[in-house]
Amino acid sequence: MQQMDDPRSFLPLTPQQFHILLSLTGAHLHGYAIIRDVEQRTSGALRLGTGTLYTALARLEALALVDESTRRAPAAEDDDRRRYYRITPLGRAVLTAETERLESLLRHARAKGIAAAGRPALSRGRS
Amino acid sequence: MMHARLLAVLVRIYGTALLICPRPLRDRYGGEMRAAFADRCDDAAPAGIGALLRAFARELADLVVASIAARRAAPAATPPVPSPRRSVVRSIWQDVAYAARMLRRQPGFTFVAVLTLALGIGANTAVFTVVNGVLLRPLPYDDPDRLVLLLYGRPGRITQWLSPLNYRDLVGQSAAFQDAAAFTPVTGNLTGAGDPERIDGASVSWNFFSVLGVAMREGRGFIEAEGAGDGDVVVIGDGLWRRRFGGQAGLIGTTIRLDGRPRTLVGIAPAGVALPAKAEFWRPLIFTPRDLAPRSRGAQWISAVARIAGGGDVARATAAVQTVAARLAVEHEAINGGTTALAMPLHQRMVQNVRQTLLVLLGAVGLVLLIACVNVANLLLARAQSRTREVAVRAALGAGRGRLVAQFLSEAILLGLLGGAAGLAAAYWCTRALVALAPASIPRLGEVAIDLRVLAFTFAVACGTSVLFGLMPALSASGGALARVIGAAGRGAVGAGASRPRRALVVCEMALAVMLLVGAGLLIRSYARLQQVSPGFDPEGIITFNLSLPEAKYSSSSSIAGFTATLLARLHREPGVETAAAVFGLPFGDLSASTSFRNPSKPDTPDGPLAGMRIVSPEYFKTMRIPLVAGRLLDERDDDSAPEVVLINQQTARRYFAGENPLGQQIRVGVTLAREARSNNKTIVGIVGDVKYGRLDADTPPEIYLPYAQHAVDEFTIAVRTTGDPMAFAPALRRDVAAIDRELPIARIEPMTAVVGASIAERRFTMLLLSAFAAVAALLAAIGVYGVLAYLVSQRTQEIGVRLAIGAAPGDVARLFLREGARLTVIGLVAGFAGAAAAARALSALLFGVTATDPATFGAVAGALVLVALAAAYFPARRASRVDPMTALRTD
């Protein structure tokens, strides 16, 4: 449905969406694997609940930023109920655009002499 | 195992909770979400059940929040004309959200209701879980209903002890049994890696495990050759395996040292196998020719467990052994005369002593659940009445009956769910606390695990109450008569009839609370009476410990007596030690024996005198402060070469030497415990004071005391009287024992006061638990009274204003409401006393020194409840007396 037109029309992303796209960059993961990946990357600061993950995932899938992967895990670890997800080219473009947006925000803030204190804003999520 | 079951339940709950998700999300991702949730739980489970429940709560909360967010975002995607189905789902969702808001807006109400439900659910699940684990759950043996213990003896003295010959004949000559095995408790000193340890175990027939039908955890049971003395082998229990050997695999075939003797480990029994109770190892039982000699027919020291043959039952098995016992009584008249036998289901025998206690607790906690439900009903009714107007207005604005019902239903269900969730946590902690606090005398506690069916049942009861009473306002208000309700509300009074159900509920609560208070009161008085009973000795300042000398090292009487004499001498030299004595058969201890005895100058009768047998060193009476009544005490001269002597207690003198002077008379004792003891006639040289033995609440049995020097037993207790805190001497005592034998373990080192205390620990447990239940009940009843009166005051503010305006004194107004509180209390008391008088009969077996209708207890309960109720009534009454007439008249 979505034309691969302007990735910037999808911005801004929520922190959860951002992290999910980040997790799927370079890996095809199932739901709980995404939760764990995000948790590890943020050292436990962002712990996605199952409900939060799937509502975000549903949104991303509806926007065609991710889609279902045909790749399966090795048979031994596989589970019928699990689906694997991957990032689409559009999703990758949106992720890049969001990163640029955030960087420019940071540049503006630093230009005013505001330095990061405490935890990075992105990882401050509801647990 | 419990985790796995809990996990399955949690996943199922989560699956149900998914219904609150928007349908498209659920259809597309439901299965995955369940799988991801299960993964999350799997990850949390190893950190313990607390972590698991936390993860569960977090996931549920997340689901609710995410669903709300999804619905907010959803309208854009919703088709313009919603399908009827979709609108139903949405209206349910609205109801739930509205209900959540309502509950949050009245945190006081929500808190009390949820707390009440949680208490009811938690306490019930915990108690029922214990009752289920101990009383109801089948034993971990194959087809356990067919297992029986053989009981034997003269009527009134039937015990589980048999002589090997009687065992052989009872089992061999009746066709009722498929198979049978003998066992007898023993203790062993386990040495080797780690500290020496004294452990309980049993000598058992080689086929013991196959009679029980136990599948070994590892290895095997015994084989026939081992029952004949081939090879030193041993089977250990799961608990010992984990505790001592770290649950390590590949131990079968290795050697462990028991009593200084190497034994080959052939099997590890699964958890839960505990016959006899507390046994942690089993070794083959081998009868010596002496055990099977005709004159040993009277030596009763083994127990028998038998499996009833297919098609038989307990009654038929009892009939069969009775027939054999009758025949044996005739054939061996001198020893077996007058005896009988019976078969008792193994499980029944195990729980015989705690059954009554547990059933009383179950009844009590059932009352607590009832009170909790009544209280919640009461709270909901109060709320319903205060919302009559809201309902009426909504109905007038066009809300259909269905919508109103649905809305109240969702509030009630939400409340029930919250209470249930809190109840789950409460049940978990209550069960843990109960198992931790329970006295050691309750068998099978190690097997107790939360019972999910019980949890589900109590949960359903609590939710049912909540739904039933939560729906009342919707049903009555939607029944019509809107104008009446709105009109009445407009005048600020709802009519007297509206509070009638609430008063009835308060009276119920009061009555139930009275029943619990009376029960608790009776137990408290019993306990107090019991503590006043003098045991016949002075337990203060005494420290005791048990020793068991291994046969391999101490094979002769002289070596045993030598060890004990050396030890007592060393202990005596310790500063702060007054006296030290050795005793077999310490009061309230775990070693005991009894024996028949007879007067050799009188004809032998089968129903001859029977007495508890104590073997003591000379200092024993001084150590325990047991008084001498007549004659002399034992002293150093009564050694192995001196003439045999014996002391008796007053009870023996009264019962068997009535009207004679027992001093100087001779008796012959039927049983010898020491290996090389002489068993000639013994002269009675003294009479000592009566001492309570097994229980404070039983009469003192006849006892005889034999001198240790003449009966050197290898298993005994050392009692030491000290001048200070007895436990402070423990290190010194350990040092003294180790100085003589470094490999000898010390068991049960504890003050004598604790030994006596353990005998009433079960009563204490019941009393404390019932008191806690009663306190909760009284508190809930007080909340009930307070709630009703506060409601009446708020409903009658206008009337009070009028009364005050036309000259009533504030005191009169306060008295009006106090009188109402008193009326409810008195009705509740009367109903409760009737119930208590009926229920107290169930308690009578647990009482001591008070009757089930003890007037003092009933009086105290009445006084306490009246005080609590008046305190609860005081605050609403005071508020009534302070109503400002002008404000009251102005309110609509």
Side-chain angles (χ1 to χ4, degrees):
Chain A
M1 246 175 94
Q2 294 280 343
Q3 293 295 313
M4 175 78 184
D5 46 11
D6 187 3
R8 274 173 299 179
S9 64
F10 293 90
L11 305 186
L13 296 177
T14 66
Q16 287 91 345
Q17 291 171 335
F18 187 83
H19 271 291
I20 293 169
L21 291 180
L22 222 47
S23 290
L24 294 177
T25 302
H28 298 206
L29 299 176
H30 63 78
Y32 190 61
I34 299 175
I35 292 177
R36 265 208 315 240
D37 186 60
V38 172
E39 193 173 332
Q40 272 163 20
R41 187 167 51 244
T42 62
S43 314
L46 180 59
R47 293 169 76 176
L48 294 174
T50 308
T52 306
L53 172 80
Y54 280 97
T55 41
L57 210 50
R59 180 100 187 116
L60 291 174
E61 213 178 0
L63 297 174
L65 303 188
V66 302
D67 66 4
E68 197 181 327
S69 159
T70 49
R71 191 191 295 175
R72 310 296 302 180
E77 300 169 21
D78 207 6
D79 181 331
D80 283 349
R81 289 177 303 180
R82 281 183 180 153
R83 274 192 288 244
Y84 286 73
Y85 298 91
R86 65 179 173 196
I87 192 166
T88 61
L90 175 64
R92 198 176 297 273
V94 171
L95 187 59
T96 311
E98 175 71 355
T99 310
E100 277 167 9
R101 184 184 71 86
L102 291 170
E103 266 175 354
S104 90
L105 281 180
L106 278 180
R107 270 198 308 278
H108 291 306
R110 289 206 183 105
K112 287 278 185 186
I114 293 172
R119 298 186 294 175
L122 270 179
S123 61
R124 198 176 305 133
R126 197 190 36 75
S127 63
Chain B
M1 194 187 92
M2 181 176 151
H3 278 190
R5 278 169 66 199
L6 183 59
L7 211 76
V9 172
L10 293 183
V11 171
R12 192 170 304 170
I13 295 176
Y14 190 81
T16 313
L18 281 177
L19 288 175
I20 69 171
C21 277
R23 198 187 161 90
L25 188 72
R26 189 168 71 239
D27 286 351
R28 169 96 170 90
Y29 300 102
E32 280 178 84
M33 290 174 80
R34 258 198 298 274
F37 171 76
D39 286 343
R40 158 72 75 208
C41 289
D42 277 338
D43 280 359
I49 209 156
L52 184 56
L53 292 178
R54 269 199 302 281
F56 173 65
R58 203 180 301 125
E59 282 290 341
L60 269 194
D62 176 75
L63 187 65
V64 172
V65 172
S67 302
I68 295 173
R71 277 168 198 283
R72 273 207 197 116
T78 320
V81 184
S83 69
R85 195 193 165 103
R86 195 171 175 90
S87 84
V88 169
V89 172
R90 290 196 62 181
S91 74
I92 288 180
W93 178 245
Q94 271 176 10
D95 286 339
V96 172
Y98 182 73
R101 270 206 304 280
M102 288 302 292
L103 292 181
R104 214 174 41 210
R105 235 175 32 199
Q106 293 179 304
F109 160 80
T110 309
F111 176 75
V112 173
V114 167
L115 185 71
T116 310
L117 284 173
L119 272 175
I121 295 175
N124 255 280
T125 308
V127 170
F128 194 85
T129 294
V130 169
V131 169
N132 182 43
V134 175
L135 288 190
L136 306 179
R137 218 148 55 92
L139 293 170
Y141 309 129
D142 182 36
D143 203 358
D145 293 340
R146 284 170 54 213
L147 290 174
V148 291
L149 274 189
L150 298 189
L151 305 187
Y152 177 83
R154 301 201 171 88
R157 281 187 200 169
I158 294 193
T159 68
Q160 65 176 65
W161 304 108
L162 301 164
S163 65
L165 278 179
N166 279 339
Y167 158 70
R168 195 191 60 188
D169 293 345
L170 281 175
V171 170
Q173 295 178 21
S174 55
F177 304 114
Q178 178 186 318
D179 203 357
F183 63 95
T184 191
V186 295
T187 58
N189 295 336
L190 186 64
T191 49
D195 291 330
E197 187 183 356
R198 172 97 165 269
I199 49 177
D200 291 306
S203 280
V204 300
S205 306
W206 69 269
N207 60 345
F208 180 75
F209 293 106
S210 71
V211 170
L212 293 182
V214 170
M216 284 291 156
R217 182 185 181 100
E218 268 182 61
R220 57 170 174 83
F222 302 119
I223 54 173
E224 192 158 6
E226 287 161 355
D230 188 7
D232 278 337
V233 290
V234 65
V235 166
I236 62 171
D238 183 79
L240 181 62
W241 175 56
R242 287 177 194 282
R243 174 160 50 85
R244 185 82 189 194
F245 301 100
Q248 156 194 359
L251 281 176
I252 301 300
T254 59
T255 310
I256 63 175
R257 289 187 81 81
L258 257 181
D259 289 335
R261 222 160 108 173
R263 283 180 177 271
T264 308
L265 183 63
V266 295
I268 297 169
V273 175
L275 187 71
K278 293 184 193 155
E280 291 195 300
F281 74 90
W282 295 266
R283 59 178 205 217
L285 171 66
I286 300 156
F287 292 132
T288 62
R290 195 185 141 184
D291 293 332
L292 299 172
R295 65 187 168 84
S296 297
R297 187 172 285 275
Q300 300 174 9
W301 55 278
I302 60 169
S303 302
V305 58
R307 178 171 288 280
I308 298 174
D313 58 22
V314 175
R316 260 185 263 177
T318 292
V321 289
Q322 262 167 358
T323 312
V324 180
R327 193 160 61 226
L328 293 176
V330 175
E331 280 172 22
H332 308 281
E333 166 74 39
I335 296 171
N336 279 16
T339 57
T340 184
L342 64 101
M344 182 184 254
L346 181 59
H347 183 240
Q348 190 185 335
R349 175 77 183 174
M350 279 175 73
V351 301
Q352 211 172 15
N353 296 327
V354 296
R355 209 181 134 76
Q356 191 74 20
T357 302
L358 290 180
L359 290 182
V360 163
L361 286 182
L362 191 61
V365 82
L367 289 185
V368 172
L369 179 64
L370 217 53
I371 294 177
C373 287
V374 170
N375 210 40
V376 170
N378 213 336
L379 286 168
L380 285 167
L381 278 184
R383 219 161 79 96
Q385 277 157 3
S386 65
R387 285 170 68 184
T388 329
R389 249 173 111 184
E390 175 202 331
V391 173
V393 169
R394 288 179 58 162
L397 290 177
R401 186 188 173 116
R403 284 292 285 129
L404 280 177
V405 170
Q407 204 240 296
F408 279 88
L409 190 63
S410 42
E411 265 187 62
I413 291 178
L414 198 61
L415 198 62
L417 284 177
L418 285 173
L424 177 66
Y428 175 69
W429 292 115
C430 289
T431 308
R432 289 256 299 237
L434 212 56
V435 171
L437 292 176
S441 58
I442 297 184
R444 307 178 71 195
L445 271 182
E447 304 167 42
V448 164
I450 282 204
D451 190 288
L452 293 173
R453 283 164 307 166
V454 177
L455 190 64
F457 171 76
T458 42
F459 186 80
V461 170
C463 271
T465 310
S466 161
V467 166
L468 187 67
F469 289 89
L471 275 184
M472 268 187 144
L475 292 176
S476 62
S478 54
L482 284 178
R484 184 176 61 79
V485 175
I486 295 180
R491 285 196 308 276
V494 184
S499 66
R500 197 170 298 138
R502 296 200 55 205
R503 291 184 217 211
L505 286 176
V506 167
V507 167
C508 280
E509 259 184 285
M510 282 280 186
L512 294 170
V514 167
M515 290 173 66
L516 280 172
L517 283 169
V518 167
L522 289 174
L523 289 185
I524 290 172
R525 276 177 65 87
S526 297
Y527 188 72
R529 283 276 164 89
L530 207 55
Q531 279 189 317
Q532 287 162 8
V533 171
S534 162
F537 59 90
D538 176 14
E540 296 293 333
I542 298 180
I543 179 171
T544 66
F545 58 90
N546 291 357
L547 290 176
S548 171
L549 306 180
E551 193 179 341
K553 207 162 170 183
Y554 300 89
S555 53
S556 68
S557 272
S558 57
S559 62
I560 296 170
F563 169 89
T564 310
T566 315
L567 176 62
L568 290 178
R570 274 193 89 99
L571 293 175
H572 221 262
R573 283 199 297 274
E574 288 285 347
V577 167
E578 277 182 17
T579 52
V583 49
F584 174 91
L586 182 77
F588 305 97
D590 40 16
L591 296 174
S592 72
S594 57
T595 177
S596 60
F597 67 91
R598 63 191 180 91
N599 190 333
S601 60
K602 291 182 184 171
D604 202 6
T605 56
D607 201 14
L610 196 77
M613 181 162 60
R614 317 286 153 196
I615 299 173
V616 300
S617 67
E619 296 272 76
Y620 176 71
F621 300 97
K622 206 170 152 197
T623 306
M624 302 290 281
R625 298 195 174 145
I626 299 172
L628 175 69
V629 177
R632 67 166 176 96
L633 292 175
L634 301 173
D635 61 35
E636 303 302 336
R637 284 166 304 165
D638 300 313
D639 63 12
D640 206 21
S641 55
E644 292 182 53
V645 293
V646 61
L647 300 185
I648 61 174
N649 70 352
Q650 290 169 290
Q651 182 72 294
T652 309
R654 266 195 302 273
R655 194 177 300 176
Y656 299 126
F657 296 93
E660 325 170 34
N661 180 8
L663 293 182
Q665 296 213 34
Q666 300 224 307
I667 61 169
R668 220 182 151 87
V669 173
V671 176
T672 52
L673 286 174
R675 251 166 280 148
E676 300 160 24
R678 292 172 291 167
S679 53
N680 305 317
N681 294 346
K682 301 173 184 14
T683 309
I684 300 175
V685 296
I687 304 174
V688 293
D690 283 344
V691 167
K692 298 275 181 195
Y693 272 94
R695 336 172 27 165
L696 283 173
D697 56 357
D699 287 336
T700 303
E703 300 283 345
I704 60 172
Y705 292 90
L706 304 174
Y708 188 86
Q710 295 178 357
H711 301 266
V713 284
D714 54 10
E715 189 164 18
F716 51 90
T717 305
I718 297 286
V720 179
R721 177 167 287 282
T722 65
T723 51
D725 169 21
M727 280 317 277
F729 289 82
L733 306 188
R734 285 183 190 282
R735 239 182 1 251
D736 284 328
V737 173
I740 307 175
D741 186 340
R742 250 169 12 108
E743 285 209 317
L744 194 65
I746 286 183
R748 281 195 73 173
I749 186 158
E750 54 193 352
M752 191 63 207
T753 46
V755 178
V756 178
S759 76
I760 47 176
E762 200 177 298
R763 282 179 177 277
R764 196 162 160 267
F765 176 68
T766 320
M767 176 193 78
L768 288 179
L769 221 53
L770 207 56
S771 302
F773 293 159
V776 169
L779 183 68
L780 292 180
I783 293 176
V785 170
Y786 171 82
V788 164
L789 291 182
Y791 169 72
L792 286 178
V793 171
S794 71
Q795 290 302 313
R796 290 164 69 180
T797 309
Q798 219 173 16
E799 177 202 329
I800 296 165
V802 173
R803 279 172 188 255
L804 288 171
I806 60 175
D812 296 336
V813 172
R815 222 166 287 134
L816 187 72
F817 287 95
L818 283 179
R819 205 178 304 135
E820 176 63 25
R823 209 169 63 96
L824 295 177
T825 309
V826 169
I827 302 176
L829 265 179
V830 171
F833 278 163
R841 280 178 223 299
L843 267 184
S844 53
L846 302 181
L847 301 183
F848 175 80
V850 292
T851 59
T853 51
D854 180 47
T857 306
F858 278 65
V861 167
L865 202 72
V866 166
L867 274 184
V868 169
L870 285 185
Y874 169 76
F875 295 98
R878 195 180 61 167
R879 195 175 338 133
S881 70
R882 292 188 182 168
V883 164
D884 171 14
M886 290 322 290
T887 322
L889 292 173
R890 254 185 254 116
T891 43
D892 82 49

